[in-house]
Amino acid sequence: MSRGALKTGKSMRLGRQPGEVLDRSRQFVFTWNGRKYPAFGGDTIISALSAAGESVFSRSFKYHRPRGLLTASFLDPGCNVQVGDEPNVRGAHRKVEPHMAASAQNAWPSLRFDVKSANRYLERFLPPGFYYKTFMEPQRLWPLYERVLQRFAGGGKASPDAPHGYYDKRYAHPDVVVAGGGPAGMGAAVAAAEAGARVMLVEEEHELGGHLRWGDEEDLAALRRLGEEVARNSTIEVMTDSVVTGRYDGNWVAVSQRSLPRVEERLIKARTKTLVVAPGLIERPYVFQGNDAPGVMLSTAARRLINLYAVKPGERAVVLTANAEGDAAVADLERAGVEVARVEDARNGGDIGRVRGGQGAREVECGDGARIECDLVVTATGWTAPTSLLNMAGDKPFYNPAAARFFPSRLPEDVLATGGIAGDGSLDELLEHARATGKEAARRARGIGAALRAGIPQSTDGEEAPQDSPVTIPDLPVNGHLELFRGRTHGIVDYSEDVSSKDLVAAVKEGYDSAELAKRYTTATMGPTQGKLETVNAMAVIAEATGRSMEETGATTWRPPYAPITLGALAGRNFEPVRYSPMQPWHERQGARPLVAGAWIRPDHYGDPEAEVRNVRKNVGVIDVTPLGKLDLRGPDVSELLNFLYVNKWSNLEVGKVRYGVMCAEDGVILDDGVTGRLGPEHYLMTTTSSGAAGVLEWIEDWLQTYQPDWRVHVTPVTGAYASINIAGPKSRELLARVAEGVDLSTEAFPYMNVRTGTVAGVEGCFMWRIGFTGELSYEIHVPAAYGLYVWEALMERGADLGVRPFGVEAQRVLRLEKGHFIVGQDTDALTQGFGAGISWAIKLDKEDFVGKPELVWQGERDGYFRLIGLQPHDGSVAPPEASQIVEGKTIVGRITSSRFSSTLERSICLGFVAPHLAEPGTTVTVQLPNGERITARVMEHLAHYDPEGAKARG
Amino acid sequence: MTRSFFSRNGTRSGYQKQARYSAFDLFRRGLSGAEWPRAWRSRDPKSSYDVVVIGGGVHGLATAYYLAKEHGITDVAVLDKGYIGGGASGRNTAIIRSNYLTPEGVRFYDRSVKLYENLSAELNFNVMFSQRGHLTLAHNDGAVRTMRWRAEVNKLEGIDSEVIGPAEIKNLVPFMDTSEHTRYPILGALYHPPGGIIRHDAVVWGYARGADAHDVHIHPYTEVQGIDVENGRVHGVRTNRGGIATSKVVNCTAGYSSLISGMAGVGMPIGTFPLQAAVTERVKPFLHPVVVSGTLHVYVSQTDRGELVFGASVDPFTSYSTRGSLEFIEGLAGHVLELMPSLSKLRLLRQWAGLCDMTPDYSPIMGVTPVEGFYIDVGWGTWGFKAGPVSGEAMAELVATGKTPKIIAAFDLARFAEGRLVGEKGAAAVGH
């Protein structure tokens, strides 16, 4: 990894600073682009590199210009680096660790010499959207051009081998969430906690304190006092290196927590009663030529470097200041030993024309034309209010030209704002506002909590909604500030996207003259910072170019998340349930091949599905059908419900009988099918398809709750409560007789389509149905789930001499295909109405009403629908793959829905859909196989290929 | 492209004639510093037009463009309540394909793909159609069967489409977990080489510029507030910028199409559902084809800029809200990582939502209505963008000739009353 000795360039590290975050007792080494660098505990990747004299950290997106440090914060657009297999790490925020391997992104072959920086010289030929204007012809060369464009695309590298880490989520129900842990956030949190609220205080940086951290002695003393107050309140949960990424409906707040040991990132979902938005202000860059050269930075960046990381930002500086922060930066620079060659005071007309220097700032051309050599240019030209969370709460912040920034306008009851986003003033004024806001947030939280509880019956008298009166929140003064966005020259507006003010002006002139169009055309604000640094400057340039005001121009919409969040944290652990039947251990012992069937894992077969089929036809087989949907229906109106949901009649079903039923949706399309039995006068058991179980429950509840709420029916899903076993084959009666007690199994006493309750292998309360999906004599037994494996094993043991063998889903598919039973969803599709599936015998249009009746009446009167039919290829050795199309010339006139080779019949058999003119038995149709070959097949008289009279199942 | 296309002069002062876009012109203007003229003009609405198109997205602009170019009907206004391309045209995930399930669907979308393939040259505007292949994954045998069904129908219609296995999928997408041990193992995929992604905004702008070159008037920020119908005929529209007399109105809106049709007294079998999407930060290109999984309700593609674009199925409730939800990005991330687990450190950058007009058979509604002169091109659900060019072409023909072109005949409004639904549920539910 690391080559050569420790990098010992010119050290920019200063002596100990009063507010520094470094742990100088802990010194270690990490690598940057393969070279070793020293660092202290507490350094960020970029602060350690800056201390070692480095000033270029990436290449820009489009022109591959060298980029250095601009904000020294999470947002710093030039400081995204690759760390191992993690792309786009915020290098000016991420703490460096021993042996960390960091490298530059978007640079080739090296950061110092990037071949693609030749693009800079082509800039004039590459205006915004240049790619829309060229490479159009010849069309066939576009893929080649596209490859070239892709090569220039910036960003880190994803690795296919990156391990999927451990991610978990946390749910929280705080009274108050405070987004932002600067002085205002701290003050608000303390006041809310003192008013009795449970508070979550969330700060993006590694420590609380906001701008106080890089302030003077007085600021540091104030920070210590605030820190003590926070620490004294045990009901404040402090989360640093964490950020509120979104505020969703109902104050559902997402927090990304990055400060947990050994966990990359955790998503906290907080249902907070009130949210206090206190993100402070983001310093805004100034637009002028050369404003992206390494060495040009914001005043807050210079102050962070000096005061937090003890790094000297340069040797000789020019400062453009329009506010107190800039003035303080001048003082800091001088204290740090930087020669401040000139201070341009914008309040007195000072300005910067341009900065020269390829690899880094070399010379500044000041407003008066004077040229000054320097390696550091510091600007303090104003602030952007990060109103993102307010927008997500439905607020439309307004622009105040006197203060040159946005302010909240109308917030909902459960969202408050304090700190710089709400106004200016002295620290004391800010804290007074923050404390009042925090107290009011706590008060409103109490009210919201009481209102929530009011809906819940209380065991005692319950608490009254608090009647306390609102806290008076003082108005914060608003300091005047110059509207400084762009100087006299053009420069970079969006650093992440390499979009200049010139580009925006050009876009406006070409007709992309609204904020949204200009954004989309130039891609300004679409990069990693999502507009937090550049939106206001972009708006100002667009406003200037269109001759409209800032208010008329409006901002583009801030969308969640406020800060990027990893897919891992969002996904959390995978909670997709997997369902197994109680017999699964037995299946695994027998080496069953698993089949994923929705939520269930089932045995597809046990090695030889053909043998399984033969054994069912000859002896007896058992299949685990536990996933079959089972609904327990009770109440006097169940038969009404069944009559309404199924197309067939149910009112005359006697106790002890079962009936096959088909459900259609309102559009007459087949929804589900299954067998339902009447266990008692007001007690039924409904079975559904395995895949349809959840949907049918919802379907029934939907009708019961919305259409017939007065029907007295209780529906209980019991799919998992019973293990279900189908015993099929000529010897199934003999096998069941060996284990069943108290039930006469003779055909006379227990005929086909009947149900009995009894004891099986000593297990009481089992249901036995005599039905036949496979076409053989068969019994389906439903056993309390806990005894499923026991009963299964008992069947295997007691039936050994009868030749009992298990069979899986594949054998069952063949068996039912031989018998011509369709599978909903395979042999029917989203347009198959009842009559098309050949169940006209079941559809009772004389019923007063049932779901789908009008559509079925309509279909019954017409004849144009495709029909489900049995098919046999003339060449019985060919089983056309399912989904093969039935054609006439090039026209599609049907398709194969099910197809298998039947070892019972020793030929291939199919089900399929055909156009009405081909449905007559005996018709020959043409089937096109996927390989393009065509074969012919005969339309059969019945869907069933095996025992169409049903003698075996009834026997 | 004839020269006259670009030499037509504007009628208002300050408008320069349209400039041809080419590498040479980029170079020339780069040298001279000459500005590019407006891509389309800004002007005040006239008091009457032959045709008024409501909706300045790809459908409306394409309709206007083909009306002018193919049929010589240039007295056309395109109205939009916001900026052009700000609705579904600017919120979709820009996937183009034609591997549908029904022959009607396949033929229709195939025509669209063909038009898209030539659109950059046709419009002299690079729409960056990247035919990088489109994979629809199958995670169970039922899905494999549906993929084979689609492949067979596609092949019969002459569309390049086939079912491939996990090894070939892994070859196309090395980041994909094709092992058997995932929760939903990948059994196969429908591979459709001509499918791909496009720069959606560029399509809108290209059509706007093309329409403008034929003197079509484009009016953004012009909201239709009413449609005047008398004796079963359209007479005009009322907007926030005044009334416009016209005998032909084409409703090319999405999200609000039932409201607009309602203004003309025409009921629509449409429910409007939000559809959410999201993008990640940029990473170097690693994912070439478009990947779709119906079982996992997710689709993924990587733009030329390096962002991953994610989409899913529509929200399960009707709403006009375009705000995103936390649950959506949580589920989305989970499903993406199910497919490509090594992306867990990639960061989600932005989420948004658009509105989808869903019809009962997951197919659009195009054609005439009971109100004479009121045409509809609506109900585009989640598949409208990929049909922009062909819809525009067909709607223009309908409006100009009064005859419904064969290619859209199956999608008429009357089918809901006459029971001729088009069965695209299977291919369009999440099928981007």
Side-chain angles (χ1 to χ4, degrees):
Chain A
M1 269 316 262
S2 55
R3 302 188 298 270
L6 198 62
K7 160 82 182 178
T8 49
K10 181 171 181 197
S11 176
M12 301 297 274
R13 188 71 85 185
L14 299 166
R16 199 174 290 274
Q17 301 296 311
E20 73 178 26
V21 297
L22 303 178
D23 175 0
R24 296 202 184 223
S25 68
R26 209 162 64 85
Q27 194 170 11
F28 53 84
V29 166
F30 72 108
T31 68
W32 168 244
N33 293 331
R35 295 185 66 180
K36 289 181 181 171
Y37 285 78
F40 286 125
D43 258 323
T44 66
I45 297 168
I46 298 298
S47 74
L49 292 174
S50 299
E54 294 294 341
S55 60
V56 179
F57 306 114
S58 70
R59 290 279 174 166
S60 70
F61 178 59
K62 186 171 161 192
Y63 301 121
H64 286 254
R65 288 200 271 236
R67 286 279 165 80
L69 176 144
L70 179 71
T71 72
S73 68
F74 189 89
L75 290 177
D76 207 322
C79 297
N80 287 353
V81 302
Q82 180 96 22
V83 176
D85 57 20
E86 184 178 358
N88 305 323
V89 171
R90 271 49 181 187
H93 173 84
R94 180 71 62 86
K95 297 272 186 209
V96 67
E97 288 160 24
H99 312 300
M100 186 183 253
S103 54
Q105 298 182 166
N106 212 22
W108 188 86
S110 77
L111 197 50
R112 278 279 153 204
F113 175 74
D114 184 324
V115 170
K116 292 172 202 152
S117 64
N119 278 9
R120 277 186 290 168
Y121 306 107
L122 300 176
E123 192 178 337
R124 53 173 29 208
F125 306 115
L126 304 176
F130 73 91
Y131 31 79
Y132 299 131
K133 295 194 174 84
T134 182
F135 311 137
M136 282 146 317
E137 291 173 271
Q139 187 78 31
R140 72 194 145 77
L141 285 186
W142 165 243
L144 189 73
Y145 296 135
E146 191 188 10
R147 286 293 160 104
V148 175
L149 281 180
Q150 284 179 340
R151 288 210 149 266
F152 283 90
K157 256 199 174 107
S159 158
D161 307 316
H164 181 52
Y166 177 83
Y167 295 94
D168 213 340
K169 290 178 190 174
R170 179 185 149 195
Y171 290 80
H173 299 82
D175 296 319
V176 179
V177 167
V178 180
M186 293 168 87
V190 168
E194 285 172 351
R198 288 167 302 118
V199 181
M200 201 178 253
L201 176 59
V202 186
E203 166 55 37
E204 185 171 24
E205 307 232 349
H206 297 279
E207 299 89 18
L208 293 179
H211 67 270
L212 294 181
R213 291 156 55 229
W214 55 85
D216 56 20
E217 292 290 350
E218 210 177 300
D219 288 337
L220 290 173
L223 174 54
R224 272 192 299 278
R225 283 194 301 276
L226 274 170
E228 283 159 14
E229 285 180 36
V230 169
R232 262 203 306 276
N233 280 287
S234 60
T235 54
I236 303 177
E237 183 182 8
V238 176
M239 265 177 264
T240 53
D241 194 11
S242 301
V243 59
V244 175
T245 63
R247 186 270 182 195
Y248 299 90
D249 291 348
N251 253 5
W252 188 226
V253 164
V255 181
S256 149
Q257 186 181 20
R258 300 181 293 239
S259 54
L260 291 170
R262 280 185 290 281
V263 175
E264 305 264 357
E265 190 173 25
R266 175 165 77 168
L267 175 65
I268 301 173
K269 302 184 351 172
R271 181 73 75 182
T272 186
K273 296 188 185 73
T274 53
L275 170 67
V276 176
V277 179
L281 295 171
I282 295 171
E283 192 169 22
R284 198 168 58 222
Y286 187 51
V287 181
F288 57 89
Q289 194 178 345
N291 66 342
D292 64 330
V296 179
M297 66 180 72
L298 305 180
S299 69
T300 42
R303 299 193 70 198
R304 280 163 183 259
L305 276 184
I306 295 167
N307 296 309
L308 299 180
Y309 304 109
V311 172
K312 193 174 167 185
E315 299 294 348
R316 190 176 151 88
V318 171
V319 181
L320 171 66
T321 173
N323 53 42
E325 182 72 17
D327 302 343
V330 172
D332 278 345
L333 289 169
E334 283 173 340
R335 194 170 50 75
V338 179
E339 183 193 344
V340 179
R342 183 145 176 183
V343 176
E344 287 282 333
D345 192 328
R347 290 159 296 194
N348 300 322
D351 199 1
I352 285 178
R354 60 178 290 191
V355 168
R356 291 195 175 81
Q359 290 290 320
R362 214 176 52 236
E363 184 188 84
V364 177
E365 198 178 298
C366 293
D368 58 5
R371 294 180 168 200
I372 297 166
E373 264 183 47
C374 65
D375 63 346
L376 177 63
V377 180
V378 175
T379 65
T381 54
W383 311 96
T384 292
T387 57
S388 186
L389 290 174
L390 304 181
N391 288 73
M392 291 178 213
D395 186 35
K396 287 198 180 358
F398 72 95
Y399 180 74
N400 177 351
R405 68 176 203 258
F406 282 86
F407 289 88
S409 58
R410 239 185 45 215
L411 297 173
E413 173 79 6
D414 54 4
V415 177
L416 301 93
T418 185
I421 202 166
D424 300 302
S426 67
L427 181 60
D428 286 341
E429 285 172 311
L430 268 179
L431 285 176
E432 195 192 337
H433 184 273
R435 290 196 169 111
T437 304
K439 200 174 166 194
E440 173 65 6
R443 189 192 70 86
R444 290 191 199 171
R446 273 198 307 280
I448 291 167
L452 287 172
R453 282 188 297 275
I456 304 168
Q458 302 287 314
S459 53
T460 61
D461 290 343
E463 70 187 287
E464 294 277 302
Q467 296 298 314
D468 45 358
S469 50
V471 178
T472 310
I473 301 175
D475 279 340
L476 274 177
V478 172
N479 294 348
H481 198 288
L482 289 171
E483 286 189 286
L484 285 171
F485 307 109
R486 183 171 80 83
R488 282 167 296 177
T489 49
H490 281 293
I492 292 294
V493 172
D494 187 328
Y495 291 76
S496 320
E497 295 287 316
D498 240 359
V499 177
S500 70
S501 49
K502 209 170 160 180
D503 294 340
L504 284 164
V505 171
V508 167
K509 288 193 170 156
E510 283 192 53
Y512 304 93
D513 53 4
S514 68
E516 282 288 349
L517 280 179
K519 171 189 113 175
R520 284 167 180 270
Y521 192 65
T522 61
T523 72
T525 76
M526 292 173 82
T529 49
Q530 286 290 291
K532 289 190 271 296
L533 282 178
E534 57 274 359
T535 285
V536 176
N537 282 341
M539 276 177 55
V541 172
I542 294 165
E544 185 189 327
T546 54
R548 292 194 285 256
S549 69
M550 291 284 277
E551 291 90 325
E552 286 168 320
T553 303
T556 59
T557 315
W558 300 81
R559 298 190 190 281
Y562 174 73
I565 178 166
T566 58
L567 298 183
L570 283 172
R573 276 191 287 158
N574 190 340
F575 283 118
E576 301 252 348
V578 178
R579 302 185 75 179
Y580 296 106
S581 88
M583 290 82 96
Q584 180 66 14
W586 192 93
H587 304 321
E588 282 174 17
R589 281 201 303 276
Q590 299 297 313
R593 189 187 153 78
L595 175 78
V596 179
W600 293 87
I601 310 291
R602 317 181 54 178
D604 192 15
H605 57 77
Y606 300 83
D608 185 354
E610 273 193 30
E612 292 167 20
V613 170
R614 282 195 300 273
N615 195 56
V616 171
R617 296 276 180 237
K618 186 164 149 252
N619 297 313
V620 57
V622 288
I623 180 170
D624 179 352
V625 290
T626 302
L628 204 64
K630 295 177 279 286
L631 299 173
D632 183 274
L633 308 174
R634 288 172 197 256
D637 296 322
V638 174
S639 75
E640 288 275 5
L641 175 77
L642 297 176
N643 242 345
F644 182 69
L645 292 180
Y646 282 120
V647 298
N648 38 345
K649 275 201 184 130
W650 289 83
S651 36
N652 55 359
L653 187 73
E654 292 164 27
V655 175
K657 297 260 184 203
V658 299
R659 184 167 288 168
Y660 170 77
V662 176
M663 289 183 196
C664 290
E666 296 100 316
D667 54 7
V669 169
I670 293 181
L671 188 75
D672 203 81
D673 69 345
V675 172
T676 292
R678 189 168 191 178
L679 304 175
E682 297 185 1
H683 184 198
Y684 293 71
L685 184 66
M686 173 188 282
T687 63
T688 73
T689 60
S690 303
S691 55
V696 171
L697 173 63
E698 284 177 21
W699 181 246
I700 294 176
E701 283 294 343
D702 192 23
W703 284 106
L704 277 178
Q705 291 176 32
T706 61
Y707 176 74
Q708 287 291 6
D710 51 336
W711 278 353
R712 289 158 297 168
V713 179
H714 277 291
V715 188
T716 313
V718 293
T719 303
Y722 289 93
S724 303
I725 304 168
N726 192 291
I727 309 165
K731 296 179 184 168
S732 56
R733 181 180 288 128
E734 195 176 347
L735 173 56
L736 185 59
R738 292 181 183 180
V739 289
E741 293 164 47
V743 178
D744 182 352
L745 294 178
S746 68
T747 298
E748 301 72 42
F750 188 180
Y752 186 56
M753 296 308 269
N754 269 250
V755 56
R756 298 289 180 269
T757 306
T759 301
V760 177
V763 178
E764 291 170 10
C766 298
F767 302 116
M768 287 166 258
W769 322 59
R770 218 191 125 185
I771 52 176
F773 194 48
T774 58
E776 293 297 332
L777 172 67
S778 76
Y779 298 86
E780 193 164 281
I781 59 175
H782 302 287
V783 183
Y787 295 101
L789 178 59
Y790 166 74
V791 171
W792 178 273
E793 286 177 334
L795 286 168
M796 286 299 163
E797 196 186 310
R798 303 288 297 277
D801 61 310
L802 299 174
V804 67
R805 299 290 308 148
F807 64 104
V809 172
E810 174 58 21
Q812 190 190 41
R813 284 182 181 152
V814 176
L815 290 160
R816 68 90 205 177
L817 176 58
E818 289 174 344
K819 181 62 188 164
H821 286 137
F822 64 75
I823 295 179
V824 174
Q826 170 170 347
D827 299 298
T828 71
D829 62 56
L831 283 184
T832 308
Q833 293 182 313
F835 286 106
I839 50 153
S840 30
W841 56 268
I843 301 172
K844 302 297 180 205
L845 294 179
D846 55 340
K847 282 200 292 183
E848 190 186 342
D849 191 19
F850 64 90
V851 181
K853 180 179 171 185
E855 281 288 332
L856 289 172
V857 167
W858 188 93
Q859 191 195 20
E861 289 165 359
R862 282 158 181 77
D863 202 26
Y865 50 88
F866 278 35
R867 283 147 166 87
L868 188 66
I869 42 98
L871 270 176
Q872 289 188 0
H874 286 113
D875 179 351
S877 69
V878 180
E882 288 165 359
S884 294
Q885 300 294 301
I886 297 169
V887 294
E888 275 178 349
K890 289 208 74 179
T891 307
I892 295 168
V893 289
R895 71 174 201 281
I896 305 287
T897 59
S898 292
S899 175
R900 286 289 189 278
F901 187 83
S902 160
S903 54
T904 312
L905 303 169
E906 294 187 324
R907 68 161 359 273
S908 55
I909 53 170
C910 310
L911 286 178
F913 266 101
V914 292
H917 70 278
L918 297 173
E920 199 56 37
T923 309
T924 293
V925 298
T926 305
V927 181
Q928 172 149 333
L929 306 181
N931 64 11
E933 265 180 53
R934 292 186 171 199
I935 62 164
T936 56
R938 186 161 63 99
V939 175
M940 309 301 289
E941 192 174 346
H942 302 285
L943 294 178
H945 300 271
Y946 173 81
D947 187 25
E949 297 77 28
K952 290 185 186 285
R954 289 169 207 278
Chain B
M1 198 69 32
T2 57
R3 287 306 300 178
S4 63
F5 182 102
F6 290 105
S7 60
R8 199 177 293 242
N9 276 300
T11 50
R12 280 169 60 90
S13 61
Y15 174 70
Q16 298 155 276
K17 67 179 182 184
Q18 270 199 357
R20 189 172 169 78
Y21 293 164
S22 72
F24 174 74
D25 286 280
L26 273 171
F27 180 69
R28 199 168 50 83
R29 284 178 193 264
L31 278 185
S32 68
E35 284 170 5
W36 290 92
R38 283 185 71 101
W40 58 86
R41 285 162 282 182
S42 165
R43 36 183 152 198
D44 293 325
K46 294 197 301 171
S47 61
S48 83
Y49 287 95
D50 287 350
V51 182
V52 168
V53 177
I54 306 173
V58 56
H59 282 252
L61 291 164
T63 300
Y65 171 78
Y66 291 112
L67 266 174
K69 179 175 177 254
E70 302 296 338
H71 305 282
I73 299 176
T74 59
D75 189 26
V76 178
V78 180
L79 315 181
D80 199 291
K81 71 171 180 174
Y83 61 98
I84 67 162
S89 291
R91 293 165 188 269
N92 68 87
T93 46
I95 296 168
I96 309 290
R97 65 183 175 90
S98 63
N99 57 350
Y100 277 69
L101 179 65
T102 61
E104 300 93 321
V106 172
R107 272 174 233 144
F108 180 75
Y109 288 99
D110 181 46
R111 175 67 188 156
S112 211
V113 168
K114 297 265 160 39
L115 287 169
Y116 267 128
E117 282 173 348
N118 293 311
L119 203 58
S120 293
E122 161 86 20
L123 297 175
N124 181 236
F125 199 105
N126 192 346
V127 297
M128 300 196 271
F129 184 20
S130 176
Q131 294 184 284
R132 41 182 64 195
H134 182 282
L135 282 171
T136 314
L137 302 174
H139 302 266
N140 56 60
D141 58 347
V144 172
R145 203 178 302 115
T146 305
M147 296 312 145
R148 210 183 292 127
W149 180 3
R150 282 166 64 180
E152 290 310 304
V153 173
N154 293 172
K155 282 189 277 183
L156 276 162
E157 294 293 331
I159 306 299
D160 190 358
S161 187
E162 58 182 318
V163 176
I164 61 173
E168 289 157 288
I169 296 169
K170 183 82 182 170
N171 205 22
L172 286 165
V173 186
F175 274 62
M176 188 90 75
D177 185 352
T178 53
S179 70
E180 289 182 6
H181 313 296
T182 58
R183 175 65 185 82
Y184 298 105
I186 295 167
L187 304 183
L190 182 66
Y191 181 45
H192 177 48
I197 53 174
I198 200 163
R199 181 78 184 97
H200 56 2
D201 290 331
V203 175
V204 170
W205 301 332
Y207 272 122
R209 177 166 166 272
D212 177 88
H214 287 288
D215 254 354
V216 167
H217 290 196
I218 297 165
H219 300 301
Y221 302 103
T222 308
E223 184 176 358
V224 173
Q225 294 163 335
I227 298 173
D228 298 323
V229 177
E230 267 172 55
N231 302 325
R233 289 186 58 96
V234 165
H235 287 274
V237 299
R238 277 167 279 134
T239 79
N240 59 337
R241 297 173 74 188
I244 297 172
T246 184
S247 61
K248 287 176 178 174
V249 171
V250 192
N251 177 5
C252 289
T253 57
Y256 307 93
S257 63
S258 44
L259 303 180
I260 295 286
S261 289
M263 290 178 190
V266 178
M268 293 280 112
I270 279 175
T272 299
F273 295 76
L275 175 65
Q276 301 194 47
V279 293
T280 67
E281 296 183 345
R282 296 184 291 243
V283 282
K284 291 284 182 197
F286 71 91
L287 174 66
H288 196 59
V290 180
V291 174
V292 179
S293 166
T295 300
L296 294 173
H297 306 293
V298 68
Y299 47 97
V300 188
S301 67
Q302 189 174 21
T303 67
D304 287 341
R305 291 155 44 79
E307 301 149 328
L308 292 190
V309 180
F310 300 140
S313 43
V314 292
D315 287 347
F317 43 80
T318 56
S319 168
Y320 288 111
S321 166
T322 54
R323 286 220 293 260
S325 69
L326 179 59
E327 290 67 25
F328 169 75
I329 49 174
E330 291 181 87
L332 183 73
H335 290 144
V336 169
L337 294 182
E338 179 78 18
L339 295 176
M340 293 182 261
S342 58
L343 298 182
S344 57
K345 289 177 187 169
L346 207 61
R347 292 180 188 81
L348 192 110
L349 190 60
R350 183 170 68 244
Q351 66 174 120
W352 69 92
L355 299 179
C356 295
D357 291 338
M358 306 301 288
T359 59
D361 60 355
Y362 285 58
S363 292
I365 314 173
M366 285 185 279
V368 297
T369 66
V371 173
E372 200 180 331
F374 185 67
Y375 303 89
I376 50 173
D377 173 29
V378 300
W380 281 104
T382 65
W383 50 86
F385 189 80
K386 46 183 76 63
V390 65
S391 309
E393 188 186 53
M395 289 306 294
E397 187 182 332
L398 168 62
V399 172
T401 67
K403 293 195 193 86
T404 302
K406 194 164 168 247
I407 197 161
I408 63 168
F411 304 113
D412 62 338
L413 178 61
R415 75 176 185 274
F416 297 101
E418 294 167 11
R420 293 179 280 108
L421 302 194
V422 183
E424 281 297 353
K425 241 179 193 166
V430 197
H432 294 268

